[in-house]
Amino acid sequence: MNNGGILSRIVILCLIPLFLSSCNDDDLKTAAEISSKKSLLSKDRSLKVEIVFSDSAVVKAKGFAPVLDQVNPSSGSKYQEMPAGVKITFFDPLQTVTGTITSEYALRKETEQITIFKKNVVVVRNDLTFNTEELTWDQRKKMFFSPRGIVTRPDGTVLNAVNFSAPEDFSSVDFEQGSGETYVKGDLAP
């Protein structure tokens, strides 16, 4: 055996105690603490899901999600996640389509009765289109809320809306700090 091989083995044998001494009880306690805080959850995945919302046997809306994950965490409330997006179609009592909501992602919190639409959210009705990155439906309050978005009307009016809110049927919209362009019909001359 050559002297270089013996020397490298001696150096390695001297360094092993240094490496082992750097692992102490604190590191093991930290690892155990992190491990004990793991939350377990179960996830059930359904594909091509259609959800029907009705009131007194009258269909008010139908939702379609290509993927629906039912998540049941070991602690906390369960929720539904739609990672591939969702499309909801709204109907009047005569079953005529009154509008749609589409988004690339949605999360439904069952206990809170809140649905959060995210990523390229578009609400379409005959009298308006609303584009935003986040829209929350509060089922208890029967209202939609968004921190900001763009309202477009058929006449070409475009409004940037902050703190947007609307009832479930989008029959009216409220917002703060609106700005944009609007068009007025008629002759303005006296």
Side-chain angles (χ1 to χ4, degrees):
M1 188 178 280
N2 64 18
N3 287 342
I6 294 174
L7 185 61
S8 66
R9 286 193 178 113
I10 292 173
V11 170
I12 290 174
L13 288 174
C14 290
L15 291 177
I16 288 176
L18 287 174
F19 290 126
L20 292 177
S21 68
S22 68
C23 295
N24 57 33
D25 288 339
D26 290 339
D27 293 338
L28 294 175
K29 287 178 187 174
T30 303
E33 199 174 301
I34 291 170
S35 178
S36 70
K37 290 183 180 179
K38 267 188 197 173
S39 71
L40 300 174
L41 56 91
S42 67
K43 186 189 281 189
D44 295 321
R45 177 165 277 189
S46 300
L47 303 175
K48 298 181 181 178
V49 176
E50 184 174 283
I51 302 166
V52 177
F53 300 94
S54 63
D55 184 15
S56 303
V58 176
V59 175
K60 292 198 161 222
K62 288 184 182 179
F64 175 77
V67 177
L68 179 93
D69 292 332
Q70 177 70 39
V71 182
N72 300 305
S74 59
S75 62
S77 55
K78 60 185 178 178
Y79 59 92
Q80 296 172 332
E81 187 175 31
M82 292 149 264
V86 65
K87 179 178 182 177
I88 298 176
T89 304
F90 296 95
F91 300 94
D92 66 12
L94 300 174
Q95 296 304 292
T96 304
V97 174
T98 60
T100 61
I101 295 177
T102 56
S103 70
E104 294 178 15
Y105 173 86
L107 177 77
R108 169 127 173 83
K109 298 179 180 181
E110 292 183 27
T111 305
E112 295 91 344
Q113 292 187 345
I114 290 176
T115 303
I116 302 167
F117 303 93
K118 290 188 175 188
K119 298 180 186 172
N120 196 26
V121 183
V122 181
V123 178
V124 177
R125 291 188 37 92
N126 289 338
D127 57 342
L128 71 87
T129 300
F130 180 66
N131 297 76
T132 185
E133 285 301 307
E134 183 175 328
L135 181 69
T136 301
W137 174 40
D138 188 325
Q139 192 172 352
R140 290 181 182 149
K141 293 180 181 178
K142 298 186 177 197
M143 295 285 292
F144 284 96
F145 301 96
S146 179
R148 66 184 46 84
I150 298 172
V151 177
T152 307
R153 300 273 185 187
D155 67 358
T157 300
V158 178
L159 298 169
N160 293 310
V162 176
N163 294 329
F164 174 90
S165 64
E168 281 181 327
D169 64 357
F170 276 86
S171 57
S172 64
V173 296
D174 292 318
F175 52 88
E176 300 172 7
Q177 302 174 1
S179 64
E181 294 180 19
T182 188
Y183 297 93
V184 179
K185 288 185 179 181
D187 185 15
L188 295 178

